[in-house]
Amino acid sequence: MAYSLQIVVDCHDPHVLADWWAETMGWQVEPSDPDFIRSMVEKGFATAEQTLTHKGSLVWAIGAAITAGADAGPDQPRILFQSSHENKVGKNRVHWDVRLGGEDRATVRSRLEARGATFLWAAGQGPHSWFTMADPEGNEFCIS
């Protein structure tokens, strides 16, 4: 039996970080269903304080997810960014590697830095090399 995978990232501003990662990966933020959200508030299953407006759309305040595109089905990997008030302390125990498919690593590094990423260090092992970066909230990832 195969399982599906969702990676969850705790962060301060899940909608902004989801937007950043969707653009970085060429993925998309999962669309919101404002009518459903309003109905949950109207029926008392949620409160207006649990919602917010992001880019003109009503969304759940606690999180946002990204997927590999509009055709991504329910069993496709997704990354969920969820609200956390705790600050990141120390190195991530899990990170992801963004494989660039032959695109120039230095060019991608510059583009990511212009969008708020931080270059941390360059490393390599055998014939493989990569840059370790941090997203705008300090979560490490590698580009190779």
Side-chain angles (χ1 to χ4, degrees):
M1 173 183 212
Y3 298 106
S4 62
L5 176 68
Q6 170 174 276
I7 297 170
V8 180
V9 178
D10 291 342
C11 56
H12 291 289
D13 198 339
H15 296 280
V16 170
L17 204 55
D19 290 341
W20 192 89
W21 273 105
E23 182 178 339
T24 296
M25 296 297 297
W27 289 17
Q28 75 173 34
V29 175
E30 287 183 345
S32 178
D33 186 345
D35 292 335
F36 174 75
I37 295 171
R38 277 196 256 331
S39 75
M40 291 295 99
V41 172
E42 290 166 4
K43 293 175 184 174
F45 294 116
T47 66
E49 291 75 28
Q50 293 173 310
T51 70
L52 60 86
T53 300
H54 179 72
K55 292 188 171 181
S57 183
L58 186 66
V59 298
W60 294 114
I62 197 166
I66 65 172
T67 59
D71 296 331
D75 293 331
Q76 296 299 310
R78 84 198 275 259
I79 302 173
L80 173 65
F81 299 88
Q82 72 179 12
S83 182
S84 173
H85 299 294
E86 296 175 8
N87 290 325
K88 180 181 175 304
V89 293
K91 186 178 183 321
N92 292 9
R93 293 287 308 260
V94 173
H95 72 270
W96 50 88
D97 294 342
V98 178
R99 291 182 257 166
L100 304 178
E103 194 171 351
D104 180 68
R105 190 172 44 242
T107 301
V108 174
R109 171 187 164 181
S110 295
R111 198 167 56 234
L112 292 171
E113 287 175 318
R115 295 184 39 246
T118 303
F119 171 74
L120 299 176
W121 63 81
Q125 182 176 14
H128 305 287
S129 61
W130 59 90
F131 291 155
T132 300
M133 310 282 294
D135 72 17
E137 289 204 17
N139 302 298
E140 294 96 1
F141 65 99
C142 296
I143 58 174
S144 61

